[in-house]
């Protein structure tokens, strides 16, 4: 499965509104998990089995809850049993489709 999620404290660390230090603590959890992952400006996507992915998401929320009275989580999942390597596979198929359409 793929899980794309965004987790952030609802209270910023300073008056700039930045939550980057808090989000960095959550991303450390993701990286330490050993699961395949990708982070962009809005979401982090992880790939693995249901229980291991959800455990990582919970850990990320727990880490932020240590310093914030409230944590926001947005999550989207692609549940496709039997498929692996989809973090890259989906993008490869998309690029292939774009290439075919350009040739038309």
């Amino acid at each position: 499965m793929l899980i794309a999620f965004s987790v952030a404290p609802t209270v910023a660390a300073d008056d700039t509104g930045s939550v980057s230090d808090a989000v960095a603590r959550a991303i450390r959890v993701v990286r330490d998990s050993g699961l395949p992952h990708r982070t962009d400006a809005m979401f982090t996507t992880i790939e693995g089995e249901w229980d291991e992915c959800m455990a990582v998401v919970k850990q990320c929320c727990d880490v932020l809850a240590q310093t914030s009275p409230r944590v926001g989580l947005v999550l989207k999942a692609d549940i496709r049993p039997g498929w692996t390597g989809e973090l890259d596979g989906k993008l490869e198929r998309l690029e292939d489709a774009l290439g075919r359409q350009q040739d038309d």
Side-chain angles (χ1 to χ4, degrees), residues 5 12 17 24 28 30 34 41-42 46 88-89 97 99:
F5 71 103
R28 178 61 47 212
V30 170
M42 296 293 293
I46 56 178
D88 294 318

Side-chain angles (χ1 to χ4, degrees), residues 6-89:
S6 173
V7 60
T10 58
V11 179
D14 58 34
D15 60 357
T16 68
S18 177
V19 294
S20 59
D21 285 340
V23 172
R25 290 194 302 277
I27 297 304
R28 178 61 47 212
V29 169
V30 170
R31 291 181 178 179
D32 289 348
S33 76
L35 293 178
H37 63 277
R38 182 173 293 130
T39 299
D40 61 37
M42 296 293 293
F43 286 92
T44 293
T45 304
I46 56 178
E47 182 171 16
E49 297 299 318
W50 181 277
D51 289 340
E52 60 189 357
C53 287
M54 293 308 289
V56 169
V57 171
K58 182 181 184 320
Q59 258 188 293
C60 290
C61 293
D62 290 347
V63 162
L64 295 189
Q66 292 172 359
T67 57
S68 178
R70 195 172 190 178
V71 175
L73 171 68
V74 176
L75 185 143
K76 181 177 181 179
D78 181 359
I79 303 163
R80 198 173 185 189
W83 289 74
T84 59
E86 289 300 278
L87 196 62
D88 294 318

Side-chain angles (χ1 to χ4, degrees), residues 1-2 38 47 78-102:
M1 83 181 313
L2 294 174
R38 182 173 293 130
E47 182 171 16
D78 181 359
I79 303 163
R80 198 173 185 189
W83 289 74
T84 59
E86 289 300 278
L87 196 62
D88 294 318
K90 289 178 84 167
L91 293 176
E92 290 167 2
R93 289 190 299 276
L94 174 62
E95 290 298 331
D96 287 346
L98 288 167
R100 286 191 310 275
Q101 290 175 4
Q102 187 175 2

